[in-house]
Structures are given as structure tokens and as C-alpha cells.
Amino acid sequence: MWRRTLRAALRAGLSPGTTGAVAEARAARVGSSRFAGSDSGKAEGPSPGGRVSAELIEHLERLALVDFRNREGVARLQAAIEFAGQLRAVDTDGVVPMESVLEDRCLYLRADDVVEDSCVEALLQNSQWTVEEYFVAPPGNITLPKQSEQDPVTES
Amino acid sequence: MLGLSLREVSAALKQGQVSPMELCQKCLSLIKETKFLNAYITVEEERALKQAEESEKRYEKGQALGILDGIPIAVKDNFSTAGIETTCASNMLKGYIPPYNATVVQKLLDQGAVLLGKTNLDEFAMGSGSTDGIFGPVRNPWSYSKQYREKKKQSHHRADEDSDWLITGGSSGGSAAAVSAFTCFAALGSDTGGSTRNPAALCGLVGLKPTYGLISRYGLIPLVNSMDVPGILTRCVEDAAIVLGILAGHDPKDSTTAQDPVGPFTLPILRDVGKLCIGIPKEYSAPGLSSEVQAFWSKAADLFASKGAKVVEVSLPHTSYSIVCYHVLCTAEVASNMARFDGLEYGHRCNVNVSTEAMYAATRREGFNDVVRGRILSGNFFLLKENYDDYFVKAQKVRRLIANDFVKVFNSGVDVLLTPTTLSNAVPYLEFIKEDNRTRSARDDIFTQSVNMAGLPAVNVPMALSSQGLPIGLQLIGRAFSDQQLLTVAKWFEEQVQFPVIQLQELMDSCQTFSQHKKLASVSLKR
């Protein structure tokens, strides 16, 4: 089902301004926790390029720890990939990648000396939850459940 | 008084024609009156008045700290300010109070500058309109100028004040609006792909993007580390040079600042441009460039030529790929940079406590807008193991080609490149938001981002008003670390074109209708 609406959104030029797309986005949000799940089938992606599969969406969401939220989000990625694809036309044979414009200079390194007093208290003050001198995190040995199984994020 | 240049107002302070307190109060009440521009996120009234009071004492003792002592300034809300909320216009950092000052902020304060507040922007500086932040869009003061209003009446447009207002450009639109509306004398912006020059062009200001490595980024909340630079927004070139002189130089806290001695940045008066060679990159006649901007660009080239400069057409062959390359590198670095926002140590934290990862995911879901999430996800895609070489490394290679294009042109004897800054003058908000952020950025950053990829200095200089009565600016690009020479040429150009001062009487009139009920507040302020 979501594939069809995505196509519709693409046809509408990805314009979030049109009422149709907004309505779809709203509808999408309701089911967003599952739109990448197994019930949507092995999606081939929204374009002939077919890069954005359900697996890819899930993989990226787990890596980035942000979600696409709705079909427009996926369409946005598709558009970004297609845009980036133009780079293939550039002949870069033998070109060394450029990481920094200051590559021809020595990088300055500070001496490994303490120059400022302890700022533990000041830094802890910006945390929502601390105990003594520690930041408090929830249990860390649980991986994010698959979206197709359960999504505690959207239930909150 | 509020329209003076830095040198003039500094002289007025020294001679006692105005006191720092008076100046500060004037600016604060103008900020209140122009609140509807939405230029400021935070106004630090008490703190500013206290700084002004201290400055006043220094002047009384004849111990002013520097040229900026007692002069009100504003800072974009993505620079850390000790004790002052720093939000990046994002829910993610709402309520975040940095324990330290960005180096550039500290340098301004050390000069005695009075910090009025923090200015509005696109969320995490991702945008070209200053329309995509949680505090709402910034309005361009030119929307309320006499120049624009009169042209509008002539063309029989219905002056619908509440929906016809124009965008400032972005992402440093709050800083641009603040300087343009005379609420401060200079403001800091940031520039990753054009975020200082773009709003400067649309608001009729000088917007300087210095050479990468000349100014410290310490405390500037990073977007794209390899391209970010603090930017300077002022009403004239000389002012930008003064601020640059204060900010430039090596910072032990930023390993990417160059260690070579810098400056001075005082600008000599250029009487003869006969020895100058101005390059006009032919690829910048891009589709979408308005005929009006094109015409002013040619006119500017003719101006240089008529005064004896050598004007040559040059080629930057990889220009058309530049915006694509920028898009890949930007999203990749954003994906990496935004990983720091997890809810644990600072900023927003959600209520989900099932697991650390679930907490991270929910926090980020709540904290980032669609634009930021979109860039993070695209960046993660480009950085996937199977895509890394095809997209990220490929873009880094194209980046070298783009940087080399500039090197070749400058080695051929060109001193300064002359290009448009934006495709057209400012557009109405309602028109601007018809397209999504990525499409807009790809279009609006077209002339500006290649400079960031090559690390070069560039400056927007306002040239003239369009047929709509709105500012059109041109961009001058210089060799790396030749910021002073670039500004010297910019100053010459500025003097030749005599860009008109914004006439804000109408703005003030609208202020009165907008804020009649707030009069009490501003009266009590004048005390």
C-alpha cells in the first residue's frame, strides 16, 4: 500500500505544500512504525533505480538512530541519491581525494597539559539526568527492536 | 546614531556624544519595536545593560578596551555563549546553556563589545531562507522599506502586509535582519555553503566568509567541519575588516586555525585599479539566474574595466558539479556530527528508558526536524560500506577538482573573481516555502558553496536595488589568506556603486501598529 502512495507523492513533485501530500503524510505517520516492515513486502523502492528497499530503510534507521517518519522521508532520500548520482559523470581517474583544504600545512597539536581547571560540575549541569558524577543511561545491552516487531519509540 | 559605521560610533563614544548605556538602550528598544521581524531568539537585556554600564565606566576613566568597546553586537544562535541559551533553533538544544564562550564571542567581549542577544537561523544552520527553525521564519526588513513599498504601489500590487513579507535568506538570516534593521552594529553568522553571504545579499549587507583556518571555529556548533567558518555581517566593508581584525588568528583550541601571523586588516584606499585583474567565471551564467542580476553583474564588470582594471573571462570547468559534490560531503559530515546529540550529556532527552538505543532514537526523533533528519539519513547512506567509494570518496575527488579550478585561475594572474551571490533578489515567504529544503538549498547555494569547498575568502557587496526596490549583491572571491586584498577591492567597489541606505520609516510605522500595546515596556526601558 505504501508504495502506491509514495508513487503518488513522487508524482506530486514531492511538494509538501499540496494538500494531497500533507494528507498522505499524516496517514503515513500513523503507520510509520511499520511502513518498512514485512507487511509492506519486499519493496523494490520508489524508482526504477530501486535503491531504497525496506531492508535499506531499516538498516539506515538503526545506524542513524533517526527514523524516516513517513513516506516523504523515504522520497527525500531517493531524491538525494538521484541528485548525488550526477557525480558519476565526472572523470576522477587518478585524482586524490581532498579531505581538508589545509592539507598542505602542519596540523597544530597542543601539548598534553592541563590548562583549565576541572569543569565537571559545569558539564554535568547540562544533563537531564545525573547521579553523583555520572550521566545516567538506560540499560545498554538491548539493541533497538526491529521496527517490524515493536517500536517503543512511536509508542512513547 | 544607530546607522553609523563602527568607526563613527566608536568616535562618538570616545567624544562622549553618546554613552554606551544610551546606545545599548536605543538598540534594545528598537529590538522590541521590531520584534515581528523575528531576528532574535534570545535578547539578553539585563546582561547587555550591565556590559554597557561597565563599558561606560571604562570610558569615564579613559580606559576603553578597543574599538568595539560599548558597541552593541549580536551573535547567531549556533555560537556557544557562556550562561546564555544556545539553541541552534532546534528542539534538540532548547534550554542548553553552554558553560563556555566560543573563541570569537570571547574575542568580541574582550574588546568591550556589548552582546545584545542571539539571532535566529534555520535549524542547525541547514537552510537558505531562515525559515526552517523552531522559532519560525525571519522577516526581511526590506519588506517594510520605503524603496520596496513604493515600487510595489507603482506596480499596483495590493500591499498585503501580513502575507507579502520577504525572506532574509539564510541560514544567518536573524543576524542579517538584526544588522539591516539597525538593531546592532555588526553580527556574527556562520558560513558553510553560503549562509552568511546569501542573507547579506538579500538584506543589502556586507557578508564576509573569511578564509578557512583564519578564524577559530571553537564553540561554533559544527555542521560541516571541513567547510564551516564564522561569518561577519556589517553595513559596510570597512566594518567587516575591523571585526575580522579582531577575530582572526590562531586559536590553540582549534587545530584547524593557521599558525602563521595574520593581519593587519586595515584597508588601504585603492585609488587605481589599473593593476587589478578581475576574473569572470563563465560557468556562473547558470540557468535560473535572473536577467536583472545578470545585468548588474555585467555592469559591475564594465565598471572595473572602465576604471582600468583588466577584466577577463575565466573558466571553472567543474562548477556544475559543485553543488552535487557539496550535497554529498555536507550530508556525510552532518551524519557524523549530529551523532553527538543523544540526550545523555546535554540538550533534549525523551522519556523513553527501555534501553540506551531506544532512548537515543526517541530523543533524536523528537529533537530534529525533517530537514536535519533527512540530511542525517542521506549522509548515512553515502557513508555505507558499499557506497563509501561511489559517493563519499568520489565527492572528495571532485572537491579536489573544484579546488584546483580555483588554483589554476588564480595562478593565471587573476586577483579577484566577480560573480553573483544569489540568483535573484529576496522572494516572498509564501513563494519560498513552495519547495522543499533540499531543492531550495541546491538552488540558492549554487554560487556560494564552491568557495567553502576550496576554503577561499569571499564577500558579498550590495550593489544596487532591483526593479522591485530590493537589494542585489555581488560576490568577490579571493585567494586563500588574501582576505585583506579581497576587502580592499570590495571597499573600492562599494565606494563606486554607492548602494542606497534602507529607508525604514515605513518599518517604524508598522512597528507602531504592531506594538502599540507594548509601548509601556519600551518607555520603562528608556527610564
Side-chain angles (χ1 to χ4, degrees):
Chain A
M1 195 284 272
W2 72 271
R3 248 186 296 162
R4 201 177 58 226
T5 34
L6 177 55
R7 277 204 203 99
L10 281 170
R11 236 178 286 128
L14 309 183
S15 161
T18 62
T19 28
V22 170
E24 276 170 18
R26 222 172 275 133
R29 207 163 292 136
V30 178
S32 71
S33 66
R34 302 197 194 284
F35 82 89
S38 54
D39 55 337
S40 59
K42 297 270 183 237
E44 304 133 19
S47 84
R51 276 182 229 93
V52 185
S53 64
E55 287 79 7
L56 177 62
I57 288 169
E58 176 123 17
H59 185 47
L60 286 177
E61 288 187 335
R62 293 167 75 84
L63 276 178
L65 289 172
V66 294
D67 63 339
F68 283 90
R69 191 166 290 185
N70 52 38
R71 291 168 186 86
E72 275 176 32
V74 180
R76 203 174 288 132
L77 174 69
Q78 182 65 42
I81 297 168
E82 277 166 22
F83 187 64
Q86 295 174 51
L87 285 183
R88 280 196 211 101
V90 189
D91 179 7
T92 53
D93 274 358
V95 179
V96 182
M98 182 181 226
E99 278 167 19
S100 161
V101 293
L102 299 176
E103 58 188 6
D104 56 340
R105 289 164 185 262
C106 290
L107 195 66
Y108 163 83
L109 289 177
R110 259 191 283 172
D112 191 13
D113 297 327
V114 178
V115 288
E116 274 171 41
D117 292 334
S118 166
C119 42
V120 174
E121 255 178 57
L123 292 178
L124 285 170
Q125 269 175 7
N126 265 308
S127 176
Q128 307 278 340
W129 193 359
T130 56
V131 169
E132 293 172 1
E133 289 194 347
Y134 297 95
F135 297 113
V136 179
N141 55 355
I142 307 166
T143 51
L144 199 64
K146 283 199 171 179
Q147 296 220 344
S148 46
E149 291 159 11
Q150 201 200 6
D151 191 351
V153 173
T154 45
E155 279 169 15
S156 66
Chain B
M1 181 59 71
L2 297 183
L4 297 180
S5 71
L6 287 178
R7 216 174 275 290
E8 288 164 346
V9 74
S10 179
L13 283 164
K14 260 186 210 121
Q15 291 158 12
Q17 290 162 3
V18 66
S19 77
M21 284 291 271
E22 283 165 8
L23 203 55
C24 183
Q25 281 163 346
K26 271 186 188 167
C27 287
L28 285 169
S29 54
L30 192 55
I31 289 173
K32 280 190 182 156
E33 285 165 21
T34 57
K35 200 169 188 296
F36 63 95
L37 293 176
N38 207 12
Y40 289 80
I41 291 173
T42 307
V43 180
E44 280 288 320
E45 189 171 325
E46 271 178 42
R47 192 184 294 259
L49 286 169
K50 201 164 156 269
Q51 287 172 355
E53 199 181 334
E54 284 162 13
S55 168
E56 199 152 316
K57 282 179 195 154
R58 288 193 293 270
Y59 274 106
E60 277 163 14
K61 288 184 202 154
Q63 293 171 341
L65 291 171
I67 186 163
L68 289 189
D69 205 338
I71 297 181
I73 51 138
V75 171
K76 187 177 180 180
D77 206 22
N78 60 350
F79 287 95
S80 300
T81 42
I84 303 174
E85 190 180 359
T86 298
T87 67
C88 284
S90 174
N91 278 321
M92 192 55 100
L93 282 178
K94 227 174 169 180
Y96 169 63
I97 297 176
Y100 66 99
N101 278 323
T103 298
V104 284
V105 172
Q106 191 59 51
K107 282 188 168 184
L108 292 172
L109 294 175
D110 289 346
Q111 287 283 316
V114 173
L115 176 58
L116 296 172
K118 306 293 292 292
T119 56
N120 207 346
L121 65 156
D122 289 299
E123 182 163 333
F124 283 104
M126 298 185 201
S128 58
S130 301
T131 55
D132 286 333
I134 56 161
F135 299 102
V138 186
R139 296 180 181 216
N140 192 326
W142 283 87
S143 318
Y144 309 94
S145 69
K146 192 177 166 195
Q147 291 103 323
Y148 176 62
R149 287 287 155 120
E150 277 185 353
K151 295 279 180 193
K152 204 150 192 179
K153 270 179 217 151
Q154 282 167 20
S155 60
H156 303 291
H157 267 288
R158 197 166 47 90
D160 187 352
E161 298 192 8
D162 227 36
S163 64
D164 266 5
W165 54 273
L166 312 156
I167 59 150
T168 52
S171 64
S172 312
S175 291
V179 177
S180 172
F182 303 105
T183 64
C184 63
F185 288 84
L188 292 184
S190 61
D191 195 312
T192 306
S195 282
T196 294
R197 288 159 286 156
N198 176 288
L202 301 190
C203 295
L205 298 173
V206 172
L208 172 67
K209 176 236 172 268
T211 301
Y212 183 88
L214 185 62
I215 298 191
S216 169
R217 292 181 294 117
Y218 177 75
L220 166 63
I221 293 168
L223 175 63
V224 183
N225 301 59
S226 75
M227 300 183 207
D228 292 343
V229 287
I232 299 166
L233 288 140
T234 55
R235 290 186 289 261
C236 67
V237 175
E238 178 94 43
D239 287 359
I242 289 171
V243 178
L244 179 64
I246 289 161
L247 302 182
H250 176 68
D251 178 9
K253 288 172 174 169
D254 177 1
S255 65
T256 59
T257 46
Q259 282 177 284
D260 311 343
V262 296
F265 293 96
T266 44
L267 303 181
I269 294 169
L270 191 62
R271 294 189 203 283
D272 177 20
V273 289
K275 283 181 188 144
L276 268 186
C277 180
I278 305 290
I280 311 289
K282 61 177 181 190
E283 289 83 3
Y284 279 59
S285 297
L289 179 64
S290 78
S291 54
E292 233 177 339
V293 174
Q294 174 92 48
F296 279 118
W297 183 25
S298 309
K299 214 174 147 189
D302 292 345
L303 173 70
F304 275 103
S306 71
K307 300 285 177 178
K310 192 175 156 197
V311 177
V312 292
E313 187 184 82
V314 296
S315 175
L316 300 166
H318 296 93
T319 298
S320 64
Y321 296 105
S322 184
I323 189 74
V324 186
C325 176
Y326 173 77
H327 163 73
V328 173
L329 295 176
C330 174
T331 53
E333 286 203 46
V334 161
S336 154
N337 259 325
M338 294 292 139
R340 81 189 69 219
F341 299 102
D342 55 22
L344 212 51
E345 293 169 43
Y346 44 79
H348 177 71
R349 177 171 181 158
C350 68
N351 294 321
V352 175
N353 276 302
V354 185
S355 71
T356 303
E357 283 205 354
M359 190 275 283
Y360 287 170
T363 295
R364 292 158 65 78
R365 177 193 172 82
E366 292 167 12
F368 293 138
N369 72 2
D370 285 352
V371 176
V372 179
R373 283 206 325 280
R375 290 203 193 178
I376 292 172
L377 287 160
S378 309
N380 271 288
F381 175 86
F382 298 135
L383 291 171
L384 287 176
K385 198 162 56 181
E386 62 267 31
N387 295 335
Y388 194 80
D389 284 339
D390 287 349
Y391 290 98
F392 184 63
V393 176
K394 178 83 180 179
Q396 286 188 319
K397 288 178 181 173
V398 177
R399 181 179 187 175
R400 181 175 302 281
L401 295 174
I402 290 162
N404 284 350
D405 282 353
F406 282 108
V407 171
K408 279 179 203 157
V409 163
F410 286 124
N411 283 348
S412 77
V414 168
D415 296 302
V416 169
L417 291 166
L418 174 70
T419 78
T421 309
T422 54
L423 289 164
S424 68
N425 58 212
V427 296
Y429 173 70
L430 292 176
E431 197 176 307
F432 185 75
I433 56 168
K434 281 179 190 161
E435 277 169 300
D436 78 329
N437 182 290
R438 195 195 59 78
T439 314
R440 283 189 256 121
S441 296
R443 186 189 57 210
D444 299 336
D445 294 343
I446 191 103
F447 300 130
T448 46
Q449 40 67 40
S450 56
V451 161
N452 296 76
M453 289 202 286
L456 306 173
V459 62
N460 174 75
V461 186
M463 180 177 179
L465 295 184
S466 68
S467 58
Q468 287 181 278
L470 295 171
I472 285 178
L474 292 180
Q475 175 175 239
L476 295 167
I477 305 170
R479 289 190 186 93
F481 295 99
S482 72
D483 303 57
Q484 190 214 22
Q485 186 204 18
L486 175 71
L487 289 174
T488 306
V489 177
K491 189 179 162 188
W492 178 88
F493 182 70
E494 178 185 54
E495 270 161 22
Q496 298 293 317
V497 296
Q498 292 293 319
F499 180 75
V501 176
I502 184 171
Q503 290 173 30
L504 280 181
Q505 196 46 50
E506 311 240 343
L507 169 71
M508 296 307 131
D509 294 345
S510 349
C511 288
Q512 292 193 335
T513 48
F514 269 99
S515 61
Q516 214 131 40
H517 60 286
K518 284 179 190 153
K519 266 222 164 116
L520 259 175
S522 57
V523 167
S524 69
L525 188 82
K526 279 169 191 155
R527 202 163 5 139

